[in-house]
Amino acid sequence: MFTFFSAKSVEELVDDVRRACGLRGNFRIQYQDKDFGDTFVNLTSTGDLEDLCTIKVIPLPDEDAAPAQTQTAVNVSLSSDEAFSISGETDDTLILSSSSSSSSRTEQWPKEFPIPSFSYDTEVQLERGNAAFKANGTRLTVNPRMKSDILEKVSDLIYKYKAYPKSYHFCEVSEALIKKHPCLAEPGSWNGCYGWTQRLKTRMGNLRTQLKGLGCPELAVNSLKTKATDDAHPAKNVKRPKRGEANHVPSYPAGETADNLELERQVLKEVKKRNNGRIIREKMAKTFALRRQEIVEKQPRVEELQERWPAIFQEEEINAEFLRITTVPLQPRFLAGLDKHSSQLLQVIRKKGGAVGEKIRSILKPLDQGVDLNIRRECLLKSLVIYLGEDVSHLIKEYLVVQKEEAKAELETAAMAIFVLRDDDALSPPMDIGLVVDGVEVLNDLSSIASSCAMLFGLTYALNLSYPVELKYTFETFQKIIMDIESRQMSRRIQNLSAKLHE
């Protein structure tokens, strides 16, 4: 939690919120009015705000807004003391694209897997079996037809979330099945559902084979027919989602072909950035499948992508592409997750001893000077990298303005990094913040280090890049702790950090 608001008018408060949260566009602010039972009402004067109050940011549609997306509210807690938190998590539904394929996934793997309903006769037998199991512990004898019905329905639902579920996903599903229908528990199994787990794995393998024969792109991409001669082996260069990508290699929208979408790409390339935001968003959404298949299958260089898909290197489109791939909003979730864990993370980091602890304490010194939110986030991220045993200079490369030419030469050898140009004062606002991927500057004029980290993380998904080896724990923390994507399975180092954050 952080101190930063000192606005005297609603307009100043709007500017503060926009800068702190990395928001763009128009929005209105609401606050909880105690006279109306803490209902959120529109804010007309900052005099109505109390210490530690919560405000809600409501994005307003404008003429440049994409009609296929609903607006998401952001809750912000305010305090004149040390209190600041952002939450971008709402119950609002985000529509990824009006032209998405019907097979596109719209959500991540659920925390608790929902067992579907089966055919009528199967449900009748399960109802009777559950009643008998509750009465005297008798397990149901499952006939082949009933078993086939259960496996088919459950596998179809699994595929709606993942084409390539991992072993622990199958365990979660079989445990959910036994929890809902205890009469299906198997005697002699260590968890009562080991057999169901193995049957589901077999059934999912058969389902993938069937769909591959129908030309499903995310499965056909691993067919030997589509692989290069040198990679024509079943286990070589397998292109599977590895970091929670819900739509890794999507199908073309209904009625569209590669040729049609290529024409859309050519039109998109000619569209100028200024005053054409809605057109760019619509065409980027429409050509998502074409672009994604090209990136995953051909693995083009960054220069080629800049030539063919220049819009993907815009800040707005990185956010949109990440949402299409993972179904999770990028920048709001990243900043909200960072702020959510900030207090506990600072406590954990400050306890580090030795030389590493000294480095961390040196980086965190500005926090005692009442600096603004962006600098606080920057200090927290830098100290996190060091806490994880990695070199912060691999992630953030800082230069003085007079070193611009030297910086340019050094960044040409950087695989993936954030560059910052400053005056001589380390606490002064940066003159420029940008991103470099494979030695190519892909983005600049970013608002803060925290937003830059979010954008760099988003680009690893949008361009299908591996995490940098020298920063693998930092990016794993971004993914599994801050963004909460595929967080069930962590490396030991990140697992230990996660456990400390929840003590």
Side-chain angles (χ1 to χ4, degrees):
M1 290 188 174
F2 303 105
T3 303
F4 89 110
F5 284 115
S6 59
K8 296 181 180 179
S9 67
V10 175
E11 290 74 17
E12 290 178 6
L13 180 59
V14 168
D15 290 338
D16 285 345
V17 172
R18 179 179 286 112
R19 181 173 58 255
C21 303
L23 300 177
R24 295 176 181 273
N26 298 321
F27 55 83
R28 70 175 183 270
I29 293 178
Q30 296 182 340
Y31 74 101
Q32 288 179 302
D33 192 333
K34 292 185 177 180
D35 294 335
F36 292 91
D38 283 337
T39 300
F40 280 99
V41 299
N42 291 338
L43 179 68
T44 57
S45 171
T46 54
D48 296 327
L49 298 176
E50 297 181 2
D51 202 21
L52 289 173
C53 72
T54 297
I55 64 172
K56 178 177 286 188
V57 176
I58 308 294
L60 297 175
D62 53 55
E63 61 182 11
D64 199 36
Q69 295 181 336
T70 60
Q71 302 293 338
T72 302
V74 180
N75 292 336
V76 183
S77 298
L78 304 179
S79 170
S80 60
D81 270 336
E82 200 175 273
F84 177 79
S85 66
I86 302 175
S87 174
E89 307 232 4
T90 69
D91 295 328
D92 294 345
T93 300
L94 295 176
I95 302 174
L96 303 184
S97 170
S98 59
S99 57
S100 294
S101 165
S102 60
S103 61
S104 295
R105 298 183 177 89
T106 58
E107 57 185 311
Q108 287 277 310
W109 184 269
K111 298 293 184 183
E112 293 186 7
F113 192 85
I115 299 300
S117 298
F118 306 113
S119 63
Y120 179 76
D121 57 332
T122 298
E123 288 290 342
V124 169
Q125 293 180 68
L126 287 172
E127 183 178 350
R128 293 174 180 172
N130 289 333
F133 182 84
K134 185 176 181 180
N136 51 35
T138 302
R139 292 181 171 85
L140 180 65
T141 300
V142 182
N143 60 50
R145 179 179 175 182
M146 182 180 179
K147 185 181 296 182
S148 177
D149 182 37
I150 293 173
L151 293 175
E152 180 179 349
K153 296 291 196 307
V154 173
S155 297
D156 287 347
L157 185 56
I158 290 175
Y159 189 81
K160 288 184 178 180
Y161 296 106
K162 285 184 177 293
Y164 294 97
K166 298 179 180 178
S167 292
Y168 68 87
H169 290 126
F170 286 110
C171 288
E172 289 178 3
V173 175
S174 56
E175 288 171 1
L177 179 64
I178 298 306
K179 182 179 180 180
K180 184 175 182 179
H181 302 295
C183 63
L184 296 176
E186 300 166 318
S189 172
W190 65 275
N191 62 351
C193 56
Y194 179 79
W196 286 108
T197 300
Q198 301 309 310
R199 294 185 197 102
L200 285 171
K201 287 182 178 180
T202 302
R203 170 59 190 166
M204 279 300 296
N206 293 338
L207 178 60
R208 284 195 295 267
T209 301
Q210 294 172 9
L211 294 175
K212 185 187 296 183
L214 295 174
C216 182
E218 66 180 333
L219 302 173
V221 70
N222 292 315
S223 172
L224 295 181
K225 295 179 181 179
T226 61
K227 290 186 177 182
T229 305
D230 295 340
D231 296 333
H233 302 281
K236 188 174 182 181
N237 197 22
V238 177
K239 298 177 176 66
R240 296 182 183 180
K242 299 177 181 178
R243 303 185 305 236
E245 300 95 331
N247 296 300
H248 189 50
V249 187
S251 304
Y252 295 144
E256 299 291 348
T257 65
D259 292 338
N260 292 344
L261 294 176
E262 176 62 21
L263 292 176
E264 292 285 348
R265 184 200 67 78
Q266 293 174 10
V267 172
L268 173 64
K269 185 180 175 182
E270 300 301 322
V271 175
K272 303 298 181 183
K273 293 182 182 179
R274 181 172 297 180
N275 300 325
N276 286 305
R278 183 168 62 180
I279 296 175
I280 291 174
R281 283 193 293 268
E282 289 176 351
K283 291 193 177 298
M284 284 292 286
K286 188 173 184 178
T287 57
F288 171 57
L290 177 69
R291 179 171 59 258
R292 192 65 187 166
Q293 290 184 27
E294 177 181 322
I295 289 174
V296 174
E297 294 179 25
K298 299 180 180 179
Q299 301 175 335
R301 293 180 297 112
V302 173
E303 294 93 334
E304 295 175 28
L305 288 171
Q306 283 184 318
E307 173 64 23
R308 285 181 56 80
W309 302 98
I312 202 174
F313 296 101
Q314 297 176 22
E315 191 172 352
E316 295 83 355
E317 284 308 318
I318 294 173
N319 276 295
E321 194 81 350
F322 186 86
L323 179 62
R324 286 187 281 263
I325 293 169
T326 66
T327 75
V328 174
L330 174 59
Q331 195 164 343
R333 174 74 75 89
F334 189 93
L335 298 178
L338 182 62
D339 293 334
K340 173 185 175 183
H341 294 293
S342 60
S343 298
Q344 188 64 22
L345 190 56
L346 278 172
Q347 292 181 25
V348 172
I349 288 174
R350 288 183 188 274
K351 292 179 181 178
K352 193 75 172 179
V356 173
E358 288 297 323
K359 287 183 181 179
I360 290 174
R361 281 185 283 277
S362 175
I363 289 175
L364 294 179
K365 276 185 180 179
L367 298 188
D368 301 325
Q369 303 177 23
V371 293
D372 71 12
L373 177 63
N374 287 332
I375 294 179
R376 284 180 169 274
R377 286 172 173 165
E378 178 182 339
C379 293
L380 183 60
L381 286 166
K382 287 180 177 178
S383 58
L384 173 63
V385 176
I386 295 174
Y387 178 86
L388 294 171
E390 296 175 334
D391 190 343
V392 70
S393 66
H394 287 148
L395 176 65
I396 303 170
K397 298 184 180 294
E398 301 191 65
Y399 307 94
L400 299 178
V401 175
V402 295
Q403 299 174 310
K404 193 169 184 178
E405 292 303 318
E406 176 186 336
K408 184 178 180 181
E410 184 177 336
L411 290 172
E412 288 177 353
T413 63
M416 191 181 299
I418 299 167
F419 69 85
V420 184
L421 292 178
R422 296 184 186 273
D423 288 328
D424 53 356
D425 184 0
L427 295 182
S428 64
M431 300 296 290
D432 189 18
I433 305 176
L435 305 181
V436 170
V437 177
D438 290 342
V440 179
E441 183 179 332
V442 296
L443 201 60
N444 63 1
D445 198 25
L446 294 168
S447 60
S448 67
I449 296 294
S451 294
S452 302
C453 287
M455 290 297 105
L456 190 61
F457 177 74
L459 277 174
T460 63
Y461 281 77
L463 307 184
N464 197 37
L465 303 172
S466 299
Y467 292 156
V469 176
E470 63 273 13
L471 293 168
K472 62 179 181 179
Y473 293 118
T474 298
F475 276 80
E476 185 183 354
T477 302
F478 290 169
Q479 176 195 327
K480 298 182 178 180
I481 293 182
I482 295 179
M483 295 293 291
D484 192 22
I485 297 175
E486 291 289 296
S487 56
R488 290 176 176 84
Q489 202 170 41
M490 303 178 181
S491 65
R492 181 163 303 218
R493 189 175 304 188
I494 306 307
Q495 199 170 33
N496 290 337
L497 174 61
S498 179
K500 291 176 181 178
L501 290 176
H502 292 91
E503 285 179 353

